[in-house]
């Protein structure tokens, strides 16, 4: 028998790595289940355990950034059209994930959401569009793109306020 095949005995180090990866995957599943129950502190505790145990997993980093954002809450007292740095650290975490896989739909959607909440709507729409293109069943991404397009067509800014008419009298008639 060859010792190099799939049935070859593992070294203690390899056994430890497998156990760590399995435990991290279980912690990730617990975090997702608690997130669905809106138990954010519990979800964060488990996703941190998963991310610490297996830091190279983009799924863990992505979920950690999202849960952290949910716990942090939306920026306070941000006026329409103002850009905030409230989520910049979390957006950077997602940037790292997307450097490894530029088409990771979940990271794109979460980053788009954080960018939108930060007032960076145009950047957010790029992420939402790509997420919707990658998964046409991502109804949240499709909705974000659709609402953005409707507001743009209606001449409103992204906060819902009215913009100045474009192009004077002829612009109103021809809806430039």
């Amino acid at each position: 028998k060859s010792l190099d095949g799939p049935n070859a005995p593992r070294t203690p180090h390899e056994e430890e790595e497998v156990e760590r990866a399995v435990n991290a995957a279980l912690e990730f599943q617990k975090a997702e289940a608690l997130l669905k129950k809106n138990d954010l502190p519990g979800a964060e505790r488990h996703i941190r355990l998963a991310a610490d145990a297996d830091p190279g997993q983009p799924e863990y980093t992505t979920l950690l950034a999202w849960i952290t954002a949910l716990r942090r809450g939306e920026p306070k007292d941000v006026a329409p059209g103002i850009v905030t740095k409230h989520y910049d650290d979390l957006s950077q975490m997602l940037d790292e994930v997307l450097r490894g896989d530029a088409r990771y739909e979940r990271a794109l959607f979460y980053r788009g959401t954080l960018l939108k909440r930060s007032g960076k709507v145009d950047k957010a729409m790029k992420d939402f569009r790509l997420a919707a293109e990658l998964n046409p069943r991502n109804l949240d991404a499709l909705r974000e793109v659709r609402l953005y397009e409707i507001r743009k067509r209606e001449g409103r800014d992204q906060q819902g306020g009215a913009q100045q008419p474009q192009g004077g009298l002829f612009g109103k008639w021809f809806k430039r």
Side-chain angles (χ1 to χ4, degrees), residues 146-159:
R146 200 172 307 121
L147 286 171
Y148 176 77
E149 294 299 328
I150 289 169
R151 287 180 181 139
K152 207 170 167 184
R153 250 193 328 272
E154 291 177 353
R156 292 188 294 169
D157 66 21
Q158 293 310 301
Q159 307 299 326

Side-chain angles (χ1 to χ4, degrees), residues 34-35 37-45 66-67 70-71:
L34 290 169
L35 177 60
K37 293 179 181 180
N38 205 28
D39 178 355
L40 297 179
E44 183 177 18
R45 185 173 52 256
W66 182 242
I67 291 171
L70 293 174
R71 291 207 61 200

Side-chain angles (χ1 to χ4, degrees), residues 30-162:
K30 290 176 189 175
E32 284 191 312
L34 290 169
L35 177 60
K36 287 178 184 168
K37 293 179 181 180
N38 205 28
D39 178 355
L40 297 179
E44 183 177 18
R45 185 173 52 256
H46 288 286
I47 196 59
R48 284 193 186 282
L49 289 171
D52 290 344
D54 198 353
Q57 289 297 325
E59 295 87 1
Y60 304 168
T61 304
T62 299
L63 193 59
L64 176 59
W66 182 242
I67 291 171
T68 303
L70 293 174
R71 291 207 61 200
R72 186 177 293 175
E74 295 202 28
K76 304 272 188 267
D77 302 324
V78 176
I82 299 298
V83 174
T84 177
K85 296 180 182 225
H86 189 69
Y87 297 117
D88 281 3
D89 58 326
L90 303 175
S91 291
Q92 288 170 0
M93 284 174 67
L94 295 170
D95 291 346
E96 274 301 310
V97 169
L98 290 164
R99 269 193 269 290
D101 180 1
R103 298 173 64 83
Y104 181 32
E105 175 203 349
R106 194 173 196 183
L108 285 164
F109 180 76
Y110 288 161
R111 185 177 68 179
T113 302
L114 297 181
L115 289 169
K116 180 182 173 196
R117 290 179 183 174
S118 297
K120 302 168 187 168
V121 179
D122 291 334
K123 285 183 178 180
M125 286 308 124
K126 289 178 185 175
D127 284 351
F128 289 139
R129 281 191 178 102
L130 183 52
E133 177 185 313
L134 292 169
N135 179 6
R137 292 187 305 215
N138 184 333
L139 300 180
D140 293 324
L142 290 167
R143 184 187 71 242
E144 289 292 347
V145 172
R146 200 172 307 121
L147 286 171
Y148 176 77
E149 294 299 328
I150 289 169
R151 287 180 181 139
K152 207 170 167 184
R153 250 193 328 272
E154 291 177 353
R156 292 188 294 169
D157 66 21
Q158 293 310 301
Q159 307 299 326

